[in-house]
Amino acid sequence: MPIGVFDSGYGGLSVLREMQRVLPDKDFIYLGDSGRAPYGGRDLATILDFAEQCTELLFAEGCKVVVVACHTVSCVALRHLQHRYANDERRVLGVTVPAAENAVAVARGRIGFLGTRRTVGSHTFRTEVAKLDATAEVKEVAAPLLAPIVEEGWECGEIARLAVQQYVEQLGEVDTLVLGCTHYPLLKAVFEEVLPDGVNLLDPAPFVAGRFMDWLMRHPSFSESAGSGLVRVLSSGDTARFAVNAERFLGKVPSVVEFVSERGGRLVFSAEGSEPTGQFLR
Amino acid sequence: MPIGVFDSGYGGLSVLREMQRVLPDKDFIYLGDSGRAPYGGRDLATILDFAEQCTELLFAEGCKVVVVACHTVSCVALRHLQHRYANDERRVLGVTVPAAENAVAVARGRIGFLGTRRTVGSHTFRTEVAKLDATAEVKEVAAPLLAPIVEEGWECGEIARLAVQQYVEQLGEVDTLVLGCTHYPLLKAVFEEVLPDGVNLLDPAPFVAGRFMDWLMRHPSFSESAGSGLVRVLSSGDTARFAVNAERFLGKVPSVVEFVSERGGRLVFSAEGSEPTGQFLR
């Protein structure tokens, strides 16, 4: 009974890492839909389609609980997924509510939040914060270039610093900054350099993992078997590139990355051959 | 009998602009598949699916000739599209062969080429150059961050300069640099600043447009009616954002951007309502 985790790409592996830290004996299946990433600029109907496909695939592979590590999907589609799939035997959990809880717990009233265009456009984070603390001010800013910078592996250079600086300036004065996209924790050092002293920099992943452990304890029927700490990694993108990038997020190279292909708009398991150069005929 | 032009996003509008310049009386339909952009990192089967859908949609809207403005699609899928759709009444044309012709005409033996990961991985540009000049050296480098920088509208700042610099350094010594992605012409000023004196900077769009005019004259059955210089613009992304961005590529705001939505992996015309904030249920 592995635990399913999915994200639009590599980023959610940073959430998986925290989950493994608190639940070292559990088995996981991670699906990175990197062939169709980023989700952040796609239309809502498409994001819902993709989120359904990822969820269905993880349930089909034997998961009973699916954790939506992607903030974009969590913000716009979590309720839809829960409404459609959750029952006594299957659950879908997200990251937005834990992120809001975490922010309210550490902030002193002025919370900044960076995410994709779609995440920010949903205002779901702000809504969740308001439920917990109606007096907290939340400033949400879309930072669409940060994920591509991390995907390119340029999180240490001057480009990353300038981009982070531009987005941080748009936030104005905040006492806490929430990294509302699973790519951003790789830019932590840059954020620490750019942010004024005294601003809390918040990667919600450890709190999300703690909340999940807590949830499992309260729902023992989803936590029967101990497992053996295995992780299966699936990706809809270039699996070799995924394995290399996975190391930066997960802290280790996954032993194998299985390929899930998109055919006619649906995810299906595929054998990945070497791809031809030149014109591609079929 | 409008002429169809498509690209994965806004970029191809810079090709359309050049086509309008040489064919001011023709009518055009431009499809920007920006809801699913960028194509450059997608798997080959997906790019073929998307390319088929764009081509079919433009034929369905009455076009007899479809110009693939996207270098990624041109490099990997043009032959497939021609094989599948081209006949005495319908044609599909690309940008890679004209770009190679243009490069060979102006270069002094050392050609650099920047494009998406998929474009560069296909080596189609290099193959086409070799057919024209077997002695020319071609260095192809993938520049996956440049399109996102342009999409963000940051083509004038320090971030753009640093990114261009990094990619140009990877090229080594060249006498001509081909901009092998329709986004890159917006970074022309940055390239001119970064490139050493004497390097030709080549945006293939004017040559592509000239070649197309030439082709039309040699194929009069595809050029019957004069038209009235109208352009219909279709987009699968956020149409309001598309209109704003279109101005930067096309040099003017399109009067209306029609919405084409992705449903079940297929492009279909849709009415675009205002999108809800918060969780999205269906």
Side-chain angles (χ1 to χ4, degrees):
Chain A
M1 206 166 74
I3 294 157
V5 180
F6 79 87
D7 193 6
S8 61
Y10 321 117
L13 289 168
S14 60
V15 178
L16 175 62
R17 171 149 73 164
E18 297 301 327
M19 292 171 74
Q20 282 195 293
R21 217 189 288 273
V22 296
L23 298 162
D25 296 331
K26 290 288 174 194
D27 295 336
F28 291 90
I29 305 181
Y30 181 86
L31 167 60
D33 196 4
S34 44
R36 311 194 286 193
Y39 286 2
R42 314 287 297 243
D43 75 59
L44 288 173
T46 302
I47 293 172
L48 259 68
D49 274 345
F50 291 174
E52 286 179 5
Q53 291 173 35
C54 292
T55 307
E56 287 175 16
L57 189 141
L58 289 168
F59 282 143
E61 291 300 302
C63 300
K64 301 286 176 206
V65 191
V66 167
V67 176
V68 180
C70 174
H71 286 269
T72 304
V73 174
S74 247
C75 277
V76 304
L78 182 67
R79 236 176 261 172
H80 168 73
L81 296 175
Q82 291 174 330
H83 189 255
R84 183 162 182 146
Y85 301 107
N87 55 34
D88 287 350
E89 292 180 356
R90 287 181 167 179
R91 291 298 171 86
V92 185
L93 304 171
V95 292
T96 314
V97 171
E101 290 172 345
N102 196 0
V104 167
V106 304
R108 299 177 302 274
R110 288 175 163 233
I111 301 167
F113 180 90
L114 294 180
T116 66
R117 203 167 267 134
R118 188 57 75 189
T119 299
V120 165
S122 76
H123 298 305
T124 300
F125 178 78
R126 193 168 72 188
T127 305
E128 293 301 335
V129 167
K131 288 179 192 168
L132 301 165
D133 178 358
T135 68
E137 281 175 45
V138 178
K139 179 74 187 282
E140 297 161 306
V141 166
L145 205 62
L146 296 187
I149 285 172
V150 173
E151 295 268 336
E152 181 67 329
W154 286 3
E155 63 264 21
C156 295
E158 184 65 6
I159 290 172
R161 204 183 58 78
L162 288 168
V164 165
Q165 207 162 38
Q166 291 230 24
Y167 293 125
V168 164
E169 274 167 24
Q170 290 175 41
L171 281 169
E173 210 176 304
V174 298
D175 64 66
T176 299
L177 172 55
V178 179
L179 302 178
C181 169
T182 51
H183 279 87
Y184 303 170
L186 285 195
L187 292 162
K188 210 166 178 178
V190 182
F191 275 104
E192 279 164 356
E193 194 192 325
V194 166
L195 282 173
D197 286 346
V199 175
N200 300 312
L201 182 63
L202 204 66
D203 168 12
F207 193 87
V208 166
R211 268 294 192 221
F212 179 69
M213 184 179 66
D214 186 54
W215 183 90
L216 267 191
M217 288 171 65
R218 287 181 286 113
H219 297 80
S221 66
F222 290 93
S223 182
E224 280 160 11
S225 53
S228 44
L230 295 175
V231 178
R232 266 180 78 194
V233 177
L234 319 178
S235 165
S236 62
D238 179 319
T239 53
R241 257 192 89 223
F242 197 91
V244 172
N245 278 290
E247 187 183 7
R248 297 188 296 147
F249 289 90
L250 194 56
K252 62 190 172 214
V253 183
S255 52
V256 63
V257 179
E258 297 167 59
F259 186 50
V260 181
S261 167
E262 185 184 38
R263 303 269 178 235
R266 309 288 305 169
L267 289 180
V268 287
F269 279 94
S270 300
E272 188 176 38
S274 65
E275 291 193 331
T277 57
Q279 293 285 345
F280 185 60
L281 291 169
R282 66 171 175 191
Chain B
M1 206 166 73
I3 294 157
V5 180
F6 78 85
D7 192 8
S8 60
Y10 320 118
L13 290 168
S14 60
V15 178
L16 175 61
R17 172 151 70 165
E18 297 301 327
M19 292 172 74
Q20 282 195 293
R21 216 188 288 273
V22 294
L23 297 162
D25 295 330
K26 292 286 173 195
D27 294 336
F28 291 89
I29 305 182
Y30 182 86
L31 167 59
D33 196 5
S34 46
R36 312 194 285 191
Y39 284 3
R42 314 288 296 243
D43 74 58
L44 288 173
T46 302
I47 293 173
L48 258 68
D49 275 345
F50 291 176
E52 286 178 4
Q53 291 174 36
C54 291
T55 307
E56 288 175 15
L57 189 140
L58 289 168
F59 282 142
E61 291 301 303
C63 300
K64 302 287 177 203
V65 191
V66 168
V67 176
V68 180
C70 174
H71 286 268
T72 304
V73 173
S74 247
C75 278
V76 304
L78 182 67
R79 238 178 260 172
H80 168 75
L81 296 174
Q82 290 174 330
H83 189 255
R84 184 162 181 144
Y85 301 107
N87 56 32
D88 287 349
E89 293 181 356
R90 286 180 170 180
R91 291 296 170 88
V92 186
L93 304 171
V95 291
T96 313
V97 171
E101 290 172 343
N102 197 3
V104 167
V106 305
R108 300 178 300 275
R110 290 175 160 233
I111 301 166
F113 179 90
L114 294 179
T116 66
R117 204 167 267 134
R118 188 56 75 186
T119 298
V120 165
S122 76
H123 299 304
T124 300
F125 177 77
R126 194 169 70 187
T127 305
E128 294 300 336
V129 167
K131 288 180 192 169
L132 301 166
D133 177 358
T135 68
E137 281 176 44
V138 178
K139 180 73 187 284
E140 298 162 307
V141 166
L145 205 62
L146 297 188
I149 286 172
V150 173
E151 295 268 335
E152 181 68 328
W154 285 3
E155 64 265 20
C156 295
E158 183 65 6
I159 291 171
R161 205 182 58 77
L162 289 168
V164 165
Q165 207 161 37
Q166 293 229 24
Y167 292 125
V168 165
E169 274 167 25
Q170 291 176 42
L171 281 170
E173 211 177 301
V174 297
D175 64 65
T176 299
L177 172 55
V178 179
L179 302 178
C181 168
T182 51
H183 280 87
Y184 303 170
L186 285 194
L187 292 162
K188 210 166 177 177
V190 182
F191 274 103
E192 278 164 358
E193 194 191 326
V194 165
L195 283 174
D197 285 346
V199 175
N200 300 313
L201 182 62
L202 203 65
D203 169 12
F207 192 87
V208 166
R211 268 297 193 216
F212 179 69
M213 185 180 65
D214 187 53
W215 183 90
L216 265 191
M217 285 171 66
R218 288 181 287 113
H219 298 79
S221 66
F222 290 93
S223 183
E224 282 159 10
S225 53
S228 42
L230 295 174
V231 178
R232 266 180 78 194
V233 177
L234 320 177
S235 164
S236 61
D238 180 318
T239 52
R241 257 191 90 224
F242 196 91
V244 172
N245 277 290
E247 188 184 4
R248 295 189 297 147
F249 289 89
L250 195 56
K252 62 189 174 215
V253 183
S255 53
V256 63
V257 179
E258 297 168 57
F259 185 51
V260 182
S261 166
E262 185 184 38
R263 303 267 177 236
R266 309 287 307 168
L267 289 180
V268 287
F269 279 93
S270 300
E272 188 176 41
S274 64
E275 293 194 327
T277 58
Q279 293 284 346
F280 184 61
L281 292 170
R282 65 172 175 191

